[in-house]
mmCIF file of all heavy atoms in Angstrom:
data_model
loop_
_atom_site.group_PDB
_atom_site.id
_atom_site.type_symbol
_atom_site.label_atom_id
_atom_site.label_comp_id
_atom_site.label_asym_id
_atom_site.label_seq_id
_atom_site.Cartn_x
_atom_site.Cartn_y
_atom_site.Cartn_z
ATOM 1 N N ARG A 63 1.599 8.003 -7.800
ATOM 2 C CA ARG A 63 0.555 6.962 -7.911
ATOM 3 C C ARG A 63 0.253 6.310 -6.566
ATOM 4 O O ARG A 63 0.267 5.088 -6.419
ATOM 5 C CB ARG A 63 0.976 5.915 -8.942
ATOM 6 C CG ARG A 63 1.246 6.499 -10.312
ATOM 7 C CD ARG A 63 1.552 5.445 -11.324
ATOM 8 N NE ARG A 63 0.416 4.553 -11.495
ATOM 9 C CZ ARG A 63 0.014 4.094 -12.688
ATOM 10 N NH1 ARG A 63 0.626 4.502 -13.781
ATOM 11 N NH2 ARG A 63 -0.993 3.260 -12.771
ATOM 12 N N VAL A 64 -0.015 7.160 -5.575
ATOM 13 C CA VAL A 64 -0.386 6.631 -4.265
ATOM 14 C C VAL A 64 -1.760 5.974 -4.345
ATOM 15 O O VAL A 64 -2.597 6.329 -5.182
ATOM 16 C CB VAL A 64 -0.392 7.743 -3.184
ATOM 17 C CG1 VAL A 64 1.009 8.321 -3.018
ATOM 18 C CG2 VAL A 64 -1.393 8.838 -3.514
ATOM 19 N N ASP A 65 -1.972 5.010 -3.455
ATOM 20 C CA ASP A 65 -3.259 4.301 -3.429
ATOM 21 C C ASP A 65 -4.344 5.129 -2.767
ATOM 22 O O ASP A 65 -5.526 4.994 -3.098
ATOM 23 C CB ASP A 65 -3.100 2.967 -2.688
ATOM 24 C CG ASP A 65 -2.180 2.009 -3.425
ATOM 25 O OD1 ASP A 65 -2.371 1.839 -4.657
ATOM 26 O OD2 ASP A 65 -1.274 1.442 -2.793
ATOM 27 N N LEU A 66 -3.960 5.968 -1.824
ATOM 28 C CA LEU A 66 -4.897 6.904 -1.188
ATOM 29 C C LEU A 66 -4.106 8.067 -0.624
ATOM 30 O O LEU A 66 -2.888 7.990 -0.439
ATOM 31 C CB LEU A 66 -5.740 6.218 -0.111
ATOM 32 C CG LEU A 66 -5.039 5.475 1.026
ATOM 33 C CD1 LEU A 66 -4.622 6.417 2.140
ATOM 34 C CD2 LEU A 66 -5.966 4.403 1.593
ATOM 35 N N LEU A 67 -4.830 9.154 -0.331
ATOM 36 C CA LEU A 67 -4.165 10.394 0.060
ATOM 37 C C LEU A 67 -4.786 10.940 1.337
ATOM 38 O O LEU A 67 -6.003 11.101 1.430
ATOM 39 C CB LEU A 67 -4.294 11.427 -1.059
ATOM 40 C CG LEU A 67 -3.639 12.787 -0.869
ATOM 41 C CD1 LEU A 67 -2.135 12.644 -0.702
ATOM 42 C CD2 LEU A 67 -3.951 13.693 -2.066
ATOM 43 N N ILE A 68 -3.936 11.228 2.319
ATOM 44 C CA ILE A 68 -4.361 11.887 3.548
ATOM 45 C C ILE A 68 -4.035 13.371 3.416
ATOM 46 O O ILE A 68 -2.922 13.733 3.034
ATOM 47 C CB ILE A 68 -3.621 11.308 4.772
ATOM 48 C CG1 ILE A 68 -3.921 9.816 4.925
ATOM 49 C CG2 ILE A 68 -3.994 12.055 6.048
ATOM 50 C CD1 ILE A 68 -2.969 9.097 5.866
ATOM 51 N N ILE A 69 -5.010 14.238 3.720
ATOM 52 C CA ILE A 69 -4.785 15.682 3.682
ATOM 53 C C ILE A 69 -5.201 16.276 5.012
ATOM 54 O O ILE A 69 -6.351 16.128 5.431
ATOM 55 C CB ILE A 69 -5.557 16.371 2.543
ATOM 56 C CG1 ILE A 69 -5.240 15.725 1.200
ATOM 57 C CG2 ILE A 69 -5.226 17.866 2.509
ATOM 58 C CD1 ILE A 69 -6.006 16.343 0.030
ATOM 59 N N TYR A 70 -4.270 16.951 5.688
ATOM 60 C CA TYR A 70 -4.594 17.631 6.943
ATOM 61 C C TYR A 70 -4.935 19.084 6.596
ATOM 62 O O TYR A 70 -4.067 19.950 6.540
ATOM 63 C CB TYR A 70 -3.414 17.565 7.912
ATOM 64 C CG TYR A 70 -3.813 17.787 9.371
ATOM 65 C CD1 TYR A 70 -3.609 16.802 10.324
ATOM 66 C CD2 TYR A 70 -4.394 18.979 9.777
ATOM 67 C CE1 TYR A 70 -3.979 16.988 11.651
ATOM 68 C CE2 TYR A 70 -4.773 19.179 11.084
ATOM 69 C CZ TYR A 70 -4.559 18.175 12.020
ATOM 70 O OH TYR A 70 -4.941 18.380 13.328
ATOM 71 N N ALA A 71 -6.208 19.319 6.323
ATOM 72 C CA ALA A 71 -6.670 20.659 5.936
ATOM 73 C C ALA A 71 -8.171 20.734 6.150
ATOM 74 O O ALA A 71 -8.841 19.709 6.296
ATOM 75 C CB ALA A 71 -6.324 20.945 4.475
ATOM 76 N N ASP A 72 -8.698 21.972 6.147
ATOM 77 C CA ASP A 72 -10.142 22.151 6.255
ATOM 78 C C ASP A 72 -10.789 22.065 4.879
ATOM 79 O O ASP A 72 -10.122 22.129 3.843
ATOM 80 C CB ASP A 72 -10.467 23.493 6.909
ATOM 81 C CG ASP A 72 -10.654 23.371 8.412
ATOM 82 O OD1 ASP A 72 -10.982 22.267 8.876
ATOM 83 O OD2 ASP A 72 -10.460 24.368 9.114
ATOM 84 N N GLN A 73 -12.115 21.998 4.892
ATOM 85 C CA GLN A 73 -12.863 21.743 3.675
ATOM 86 C C GLN A 73 -12.722 22.855 2.641
ATOM 87 O O GLN A 73 -12.756 22.587 1.436
ATOM 88 C CB GLN A 73 -14.350 21.560 4.005
ATOM 89 C CG GLN A 73 -14.627 20.466 5.022
ATOM 90 C CD GLN A 73 -14.865 21.036 6.412
ATOM 91 O OE1 GLN A 73 -14.061 21.845 6.884
ATOM 92 N NE2 GLN A 73 -15.941 20.642 7.063
ATOM 93 N N ASP A 74 -12.558 24.102 3.087
ATOM 94 C CA ASP A 74 -12.567 25.255 2.181
ATOM 95 C C ASP A 74 -11.554 25.138 1.042
ATOM 96 O O ASP A 74 -11.806 25.621 -0.060
ATOM 97 C CB ASP A 74 -12.272 26.545 2.967
ATOM 98 C CG ASP A 74 -13.251 26.774 4.094
ATOM 99 O OD1 ASP A 74 -13.131 26.085 5.128
ATOM 100 O OD2 ASP A 74 -14.128 27.626 3.957
ATOM 101 N N THR A 75 -10.412 24.510 1.315
ATOM 102 C CA THR A 75 -9.323 24.517 0.334
ATOM 103 C C THR A 75 -9.126 23.175 -0.364
ATOM 104 O O THR A 75 -8.135 22.994 -1.068
ATOM 105 C CB THR A 75 -8.002 24.905 1.029
ATOM 106 O OG1 THR A 75 -7.812 24.075 2.177
ATOM 107 C CG2 THR A 75 -8.025 26.361 1.453
ATOM 108 N N VAL A 76 -10.060 22.242 -0.211
ATOM 109 C CA VAL A 76 -9.831 20.878 -0.699
ATOM 110 C C VAL A 76 -10.748 20.487 -1.859
ATOM 111 O O VAL A 76 -10.544 19.468 -2.494
ATOM 112 C CB VAL A 76 -9.972 19.859 0.471
ATOM 113 C CG1 VAL A 76 -9.772 18.433 0.024
ATOM 114 C CG2 VAL A 76 -8.972 20.184 1.575
ATOM 115 N N LYS A 77 -11.742 21.309 -2.190
ATOM 116 C CA LYS A 77 -12.725 20.918 -3.209
ATOM 117 C C LYS A 77 -12.067 20.563 -4.539
ATOM 118 O O LYS A 77 -12.391 19.536 -5.165
ATOM 119 C CB LYS A 77 -13.724 22.066 -3.413
ATOM 120 C CG LYS A 77 -14.772 21.806 -4.499
ATOM 121 C CD LYS A 77 -15.659 20.620 -4.185
ATOM 122 C CE LYS A 77 -16.938 20.609 -5.041
ATOM 123 N NZ LYS A 77 -16.707 20.539 -6.478
ATOM 124 N N LYS A 78 -11.142 21.389 -5.027
ATOM 125 C CA LYS A 78 -10.488 21.115 -6.303
ATOM 126 C C LYS A 78 -9.743 19.783 -6.269
ATOM 127 O O LYS A 78 -9.816 18.977 -7.209
ATOM 128 C CB LYS A 78 -9.510 22.249 -6.644
ATOM 129 C CG LYS A 78 -8.832 22.107 -7.994
ATOM 130 C CD LYS A 78 -7.731 23.135 -8.177
ATOM 131 C CE LYS A 78 -8.248 24.546 -8.189
ATOM 132 N NZ LYS A 78 -7.193 25.532 -8.545
#
Side-chain angles (χ1 to χ4, degrees):
R63 302 184 62 139
V64 297
D65 295 312
L66 55 83
L67 181 61
I68 299 165
I69 306 178
Y70 201 119
D72 267 336
Q73 304 100 310
D74 303 76
T75 52
V76 179
K77 178 62 163 60
K78 183 189 296 187

